[in-house]
Amino acid sequence: MIIELGHYMLVLAFALALVQSVVPLWGARVNDSRMMAVASPIAVTQFLFVGLAFAALTHAYVTSDFSVQNVYENSHSSMPLLFKYTSVWGNHEGSMLLWVFILVIFGAMVGVFGRNLPPKLKANTLAVQGWITAAFLLFVLFTSNPFHRIANAPIEGRDLNPILQDIGLAIHPPLLYLGYVGFSIAFAFSIAALLEGRIDAAWARWVRPWVLVAWGLLTLGIAMGSYWAYYELGWGGYWFWDPVENASFMPWLSGTALLHSAVVMEKRGALKVWTILLSILTFSLSLLGTFLVRSGVLTSVHAFATDPSRGVFILALLVAFIGGGLTLFAWRAPLLRQGGVFAPISREGALVLNNLFLSAATAAVLVGTLYPLALEAITGAKISVGAPFFNATFGPMMIPLLLAVPIGPLLAWKRGDLIAATQRLYIAFGGTLFAIILCYSLIEGGSTLAPLGIGLAVWVMIGALSEIQLRIGLFKLPFKISLARLLGLPRTVWGTAFGHFGLGMTVLGLIVASAYQTESIVVMKPGDKETLSGYTFEFEGFKESAEFNYVDLAGTFNITRDDKFVTELHPTKRVYTTRNMPTTETAIYTNWGVTQLYMSLGDKQKDGGIAVRVYYKPWVTFIWLGSVVMFLGGCISLTDRRLRIGAPARKGRAKHAASTA
């Protein structure tokens, strides 16, 4: 009964989405306030209905209701309770329901927290969000129904894909979807503004918090996915330029450009057309990622193996929303008034430079991802575009972008002085030069260009701190005045500094871990020792155990350095009994929070030995810690009064109250 109720809730939500996509839009057209006002309560009610449907599917998984085909194919009664919850979105149908659930959450948030939005803009925005919701609900109901029953219910399920039975699955997909779907709000705002024909700085101020939320969550989702692949797959890598990884990276690059473009539009009223276009393209890339993962055109550990007919449906949605959005943009964009004029050397100019390089980088990743698919579709030839292509195209475009990151915030709006801005970064110059010289002097091995890359990362990090130092007058003004200025800095300044500093941390981790890691692959028997980067690994033996729905074969390794005990590692070969599928569970030791020893087991040999893969990865955790710092920067910016939804309205009410007192 609960399953049928969940299905019925989706049908009701679809009916409401159709109403939401038509009535407010027509109300905005005829200027009927009552018709426009229905958008918010409908959006909230949709959230309740889809939430009940999601709860119904979750209940089926937790109670192991194998009469539901989706539960039967992706669960098992002996699975730990946590993985029964995560199994809800560990498959195509459940993940699409999660997608729609997040979609209606954002729509409800606009309805509840968008009280200060102009009625027409709010009505049009929620109507566009209704179009998107209706389309995806139609997709779920007709091609991906998670509530389909089995006539003769089996006693036991087929179990979840073993590599998905990990805590990372509880975090990574929801965060990624929150980022993907969050950009739908920016898309809806853009289409609504084009329909109304009015785009100004106020529009940028309304849309920027939503872009910040989506960008921050997508940043965290990509980082979590990278770390999951790093420790779960046993390959020792954190990014493989996998097409599905690229599918999430492209909207992040475009969303970063959108975030900076919205700043220019809010501050100076410039880049209106470009900001609208980026809003459309960013959500379009999110939809493209959905198509790549679910169409069956890609083979990847990240992709869902699904019926190609589902891919055709998503492709139709892709054409409708991208084609429709770009057609409306081409029609209305020439009618928009241009914003303020600025000199090439200015803060606006620096942000435009940022946009150009990010857009070019997005295009390079897009070409490298889609070209093999297009070539195979046209000629039947199969080729692989891997890391060499992306490193050769993407990497060089990041160098001038990173060089410009600390300079941009120090330039004045409208017209700046490049020489003066660079002179104010003398501390960053000194720190960068010191880091490069230190690396060349003390570090042996690795690429000869690696110290320059480290210097670039240090330049970005110290440059982010230099902006704070210059704003508060540290070392130039009395300490009390500097402290007062520090406490009074706008939170957006702190957010920018955190974001740029986190970017530098991630770049530093990528360069050091890639250039200076060491690796050893050996076959070891109990009692054997292996040395790597000053650490000695002694193999003690195996231990077999049975847990829940799998059997573990764990190795024990004593780690010493200079004859002093460091730690004990237990890498594991795990076999899930239901599917008889093996997985590799890595063992990782983190030293001082930055450097990791990484160990995984291979196949067991006939002579009693086992293949062992060992890595020494210096500063590798900075890759993910930097992403967390970037996310915190976005959170800090969101707390700024100017970006809090409803702040202008509250300020207006406060002034009114003061005038009537």
Side-chain angles (χ1 to χ4, degrees), residues 132-191:
I132 302 171
T133 305
F136 276 95
L137 279 171
L138 192 68
F139 175 71
V140 170
L141 288 169
F142 283 91
T143 72
S144 311
N145 185 4
F147 298 110
H148 184 266
R149 289 277 197 182
I150 300 176
N152 298 313
I155 298 175
E156 192 54 85
R158 298 176 60 185
D159 206 2
L160 179 67
N161 187 338
I163 66 171
L164 301 181
Q165 295 188 39
D166 183 82
I167 186 64
L169 184 67
I171 305 170
H172 166 54
L175 286 175
L176 204 63
Y177 290 176
L178 284 165
Y180 270 164
V181 180
F183 285 122
S184 70
I185 295 295
F187 174 82
F189 267 102
S190 299
I191 299 300

Side-chain angles (χ1 to χ4, degrees), residues 89 95-96 98-103 106 164 167-184 210-229 239 242-253 282-283 285-294 300-304 627 631:
W89 54 80
S95 65
M96 285 310 305
L98 176 63
W99 175 286
V100 175
F101 185 40
I102 294 173
L103 194 62
F106 276 102
L164 301 181
I167 186 64
L169 184 67
I171 305 170
H172 166 54
L175 286 175
L176 204 63
Y177 290 176
L178 284 165
Y180 270 164
V181 180
F183 285 122
S184 70
W210 301 103
V211 176
L212 259 176
V213 169
W215 175 86
L217 292 170
L218 186 59
T219 301
L220 212 55
I222 291 174
M224 186 65 241
S226 168
Y227 193 66
W228 171 80
W239 194 267
D242 181 283
V244 180
E245 290 177 337
N246 295 348
S248 62
F249 191 43
M250 287 186 289
W252 185 86
L253 290 171
T282 301
F283 182 58
L285 290 170
S286 297
L287 291 179
L288 178 64
T290 305
F291 168 73
L292 291 175
V293 174
R294 301 169 193 282
S300 167
V301 296
H302 304 80
F304 292 101
S627 299
F631 169 74

Side-chain angles (χ1 to χ4, degrees), residues 506-544:
T506 296
V507 173
L508 181 62
L510 288 169
I511 292 172
V512 175
S514 299
Y516 300 113
Q517 77 170 18
T518 53
E519 174 187 7
S520 177
I521 303 176
V522 294
V523 175
M524 300 182 70
K525 297 180 181 179
D528 287 352
K529 294 182 180 181
E530 178 70 17
T531 301
L532 182 70
S533 296
Y535 290 90
T536 300
F537 303 79
E538 182 178 1
F539 183 27
E540 296 289 324
F542 298 109
K543 181 180 179 181
E544 190 169 331

Side-chain angles (χ1 to χ4, degrees), residues 191-268:
I191 299 300
L194 288 172
L195 289 171
E196 191 177 352
R198 179 186 173 187
I199 302 173
D200 51 21
W203 177 90
R205 186 166 58 251
W206 288 319
V207 78
R208 192 171 158 216
W210 301 103
V211 176
L212 259 176
V213 169
W215 175 86
L217 292 170
L218 186 59
T219 301
L220 212 55
I222 291 174
M224 186 65 241
S226 168
Y227 193 66
W228 171 80
Y230 169 72
Y231 73 77
E232 178 65 20
L233 301 182
W235 301 340
Y238 38 80
W239 194 267
F240 304 97
W241 290 108
D242 181 283
V244 180
E245 290 177 337
N246 295 348
S248 62
F249 191 43
M250 287 186 289
W252 185 86
L253 290 171
S254 181
T256 305
L258 171 60
L259 191 60
H260 289 83
S261 181
V263 172
V264 178
M265 186 173 171
E266 179 187 350
K267 297 290 186 181
R268 296 279 300 136

Side-chain angles (χ1 to χ4, degrees), residues 37 266 276 286 302 387 440 450 474 502 504 513 564:
E266 179 187 350
I276 292 292
S286 297
H302 304 80
Y440 275 121
L474 188 63
K564 295 181 181 179

Side-chain angles (χ1 to χ4, degrees), residues 419-587:
I419 296 177
T422 52
Q423 287 176 343
R424 296 165 73 187
L425 288 168
Y426 63 93
I427 296 179
F429 274 118
T432 300
L433 187 61
F434 177 76
I436 293 173
I437 295 173
L438 194 66
C439 289
Y440 275 121
S441 302
L442 301 181
I443 301 178
E444 297 180 358
S447 169
T448 55
L449 297 178
L452 297 178
I454 293 172
L456 184 60
V458 171
W459 162 255
V460 174
M461 295 166 66
I462 300 180
L465 299 178
S466 296
E467 183 187 0
I468 302 291
Q469 177 252 322
L470 291 168
R471 279 180 172 269
I472 67 175
L474 188 63
F475 309 131
K476 293 183 179 180
L477 298 175
F479 179 75
K480 288 185 177 180
I481 296 177
S482 295
L483 181 60
R485 286 190 173 189
L486 182 70
L487 298 176
L489 280 177
R491 292 176 190 173
T492 50
V493 174
W494 284 106
T496 300
F498 268 72
H500 291 172
F501 190 86
L503 175 63
M505 288 179 64
T506 296
V507 173
L508 181 62
L510 288 169
I511 292 172
V512 175
S514 299
Y516 300 113
Q517 77 170 18
T518 53
E519 174 187 7
S520 177
I521 303 176
V522 294
V523 175
M524 300 182 70
K525 297 180 181 179
D528 287 352
K529 294 182 180 181
E530 178 70 17
T531 301
L532 182 70
S533 296
Y535 290 90
T536 300
F537 303 79
E538 182 178 1
F539 183 27
E540 296 289 324
F542 298 109
K543 181 180 179 181
E544 190 169 331
S545 61
E547 301 285 344
F548 295 106
N549 56 334
Y550 58 83
V551 176
D552 268 348
L553 179 66
T556 299
F557 293 81
N558 283 328
I559 315 301
T560 58
R561 186 181 180 93
D562 299 329
D563 295 326
K564 295 181 181 179
F565 177 77
V566 175
T567 189
E568 188 175 87
L569 294 180
H570 300 278
T572 304
K573 291 292 289 186
R574 180 173 294 176
V575 177
Y576 285 79
T577 53
T578 301
R579 295 199 179 198
N580 195 30
M581 180 175 173
T583 64
T584 299
E585 303 297 320
T586 59

